[in-house]
Amino acid sequence: MTPDPACRLEEDLRRADVRLPRLSPVFDVVIPAAVLAVLVAAAAAGALAGEVRPLGLALLAVAAVPWVHWLRRGDEGPSWWFGVAALTPIAVLSAGWWFATPLGLGAGAAHVLLALPVLLLVAMVLAFAPAAMAGGLAAGAYLAYGGPLVVAWLSGQPGATTSAVLLWHAVAALAAVAGYAVRLTVQLSARVAEAQVARDRQRRADERRAVARDVHDVVAHTLSVTMLHVTAARMAVRRGSSGAAEEALQEAERHGRASLADVRRVVRVLRTDGAAPQPTLADVETLAHSYRAAGLPVDLSTSLDGAGPPAAELAVYRVLQEALANAARHGRGPATVDLRVADGGIALTVANPAANPAVAPPPGPAPGHGLRGMAERMAAAGGTVSAGADGDRWVVRAVVPAVVASVVPADRA
């Protein structure tokens, strides 16, 4: 059975986040009740004209059966049986009006009223029925009422005037156009709902990637510094310097606790849907100092003439954090950092002697995550990043042009 068109349309609109009054009562009650009222009015018009014709009334009662079923059972969607049951008695009544008097209703007003259920059916099937059913039932509805009218006009029957034929075709065309317009609206609502679902799915994927980047940045940085301190402690123990070993382990412990605090901050932001302070380029010196304290020499050169947008500064900071973590884990010498900010544009270069210049150092806990995270952050901030061997050095370059940085929204990175 074809799904209820009202429920289907309401579901599509709900998925598209469009809130309208419920359509189901209109389809379940108002439409069939209105058609039954029209059929009763047609019978009353015949009675008032003094032309009570039992066969005509019987056909009118048969025409009411599918609409009564609709009223009792609710809208079950378009179907062939409904169209045939609703249209066949009206076709006989229309033919009887022109050619077999006992089969008619005996009043012109009653015959005119019969056109209303036909036109409504044309509009509904063109709006909601599958294409083949829509074409077949719409053509059947047109012929049920218009066929006898056209034949009567061609045969010169009294009352079958040219104006009546033209009027019928005009209102039938209007009903068809209205139904097709609703059909396009239903299809559009379905497309919008699908787009909304896809957008929500993409938004959730973007949020997961952002969380993964934040966790990666925090964990990778802390593990790199911690491992440097653990290595220093091991070397101190080998030299018999317990004081230096204890100091290195204390630093490792401090960074581990700081990492836990950062992870908790990320989780808290996720749970509260709020914002938390993010590092900026003003924190670069602190970042470099943490690596120096862990044993990685960092030669930092900065020229901060002004400030960039928060999103761009955060993206560049995270790139520097990842580059230093890679230098600590995979390099074999001091890291050189050059950071320039001018007119809102930001340029960062990080270089260190590579353990194997011909091979890119593993950029994170899982191969490729670090470099991919850098690229995603810089792309979100409107910048670019590159990483690769340059002679015997591994070099990371990140740039946010001034013309781009001036228009980057704060929530992009």
Side-chain angles (χ1 to χ4, degrees):
M1 182 175 295
T2 306
D4 179 353
C7 294
R8 188 172 66 249
L9 180 57
E10 285 179 346
E11 176 65 17
D12 289 340
L13 292 174
R14 184 191 63 78
R15 290 165 58 202
D17 201 24
V18 176
R19 297 292 183 259
L20 293 175
R22 292 186 68 247
L23 301 175
S24 298
V26 176
F27 281 83
D28 291 341
V29 178
V30 176
I31 290 178
V35 172
L36 291 174
V38 169
L39 296 179
V40 171
L48 291 175
E51 295 285 346
V52 178
R53 297 175 179 173
L55 288 178
L57 293 177
L59 287 170
L60 204 61
V62 174
V65 170
W67 301 98
V68 172
H69 176 82
W70 183 343
L71 189 62
R72 293 185 58 190
R73 299 290 297 273
D75 179 21
E76 297 177 342
S79 62
W80 286 106
W81 81 264
F82 185 94
V84 172
L87 293 174
T88 301
I90 292 181
V92 176
L93 286 168
S94 183
W97 168 252
W98 296 110
F99 305 107
T101 301
L103 295 177
L105 293 176
H111 180 67
V112 171
L113 287 173
L114 291 180
L116 297 180
V118 174
L119 295 173
L120 179 60
L121 196 59
V122 168
M124 287 194 304
V125 296
L126 288 178
F128 300 111
M133 184 186 300
L137 290 182
Y142 164 79
L143 294 174
Y145 191 89
L149 172 61
V150 172
V151 173
W153 172 63
L154 293 175
S155 62
Q157 291 288 335
T161 62
T162 301
S163 59
V165 174
L166 292 177
L167 179 61
W168 163 250
H169 283 87
V171 295
L174 287 175
V177 169
Y180 189 69
V182 173
R183 187 183 194 89
L184 292 180
T185 301
V186 172
Q187 293 174 348
L188 179 61
S189 70
R191 297 285 181 84
V192 171
E194 292 171 0
Q196 180 71 25
V197 170
R199 188 185 70 176
D200 292 342
R201 188 181 298 115
Q202 182 62 41
R203 177 178 55 81
R204 289 192 293 269
D206 291 341
E207 290 174 351
R208 287 195 296 270
R209 282 194 292 271
V211 172
R213 286 198 302 266
D214 287 339
V215 172
H216 173 271
D217 292 338
V218 170
V219 173
H221 161 66
T222 304
L223 284 179
S224 298
V225 176
T226 301
M227 291 308 298
L228 287 173
H229 284 295
V230 170
T231 301
R234 179 174 58 81
M235 299 300 294
V237 170
R238 180 176 297 178
R239 294 193 307 268
S241 178
S242 59
E246 182 178 359
E247 182 180 352
L249 290 174
Q250 286 177 346
E251 283 295 311
E253 180 184 10
R254 183 178 66 81
H255 282 283
R257 294 184 184 278
S259 177
L260 288 175
D262 287 337
V263 171
R264 291 192 187 99
R265 174 183 58 79
V266 172
V267 173
R268 185 167 59 252
V269 170
L270 292 175
R271 288 180 173 176
T272 60
D273 195 26
Q278 297 285 2
T280 66
L281 296 184
D283 301 307
V284 166
E285 179 60 45
T286 302
L287 177 64
H289 177 73
S290 68
Y291 279 93
R292 293 192 192 105
L296 174 68
V298 178
D299 182 9
L300 175 63
S301 174
T302 61
S303 176
L304 307 181
D305 184 11
E313 290 203 5
L314 175 60
V316 172
Y317 179 92
R318 293 304 190 192
V319 169
L320 174 58
Q321 189 178 51
E322 179 67 22
L324 290 177
N326 287 338
R329 288 198 300 267
H330 311 294
R332 55 182 179 87
T336 301
V337 178
D338 184 74
L339 176 63
R340 307 288 171 184
V341 179
D343 299 325
I346 306 174
L348 170 69
T349 302
V350 184
N352 64 278
N356 184 357
V359 181
H369 289 182
L371 294 179
R372 185 164 61 245
M374 290 189 208
E376 289 175 352
R377 284 191 178 278
M378 293 304 298
T384 58
V385 64
S386 62
D390 183 3
D392 63 348
R393 300 189 308 162
W394 184 263
V395 181
V396 176
R397 293 184 178 89
V399 177
V400 180
V403 66
V404 173
S406 63
V407 296
V408 175
D411 60 349
R412 286 290 300 276

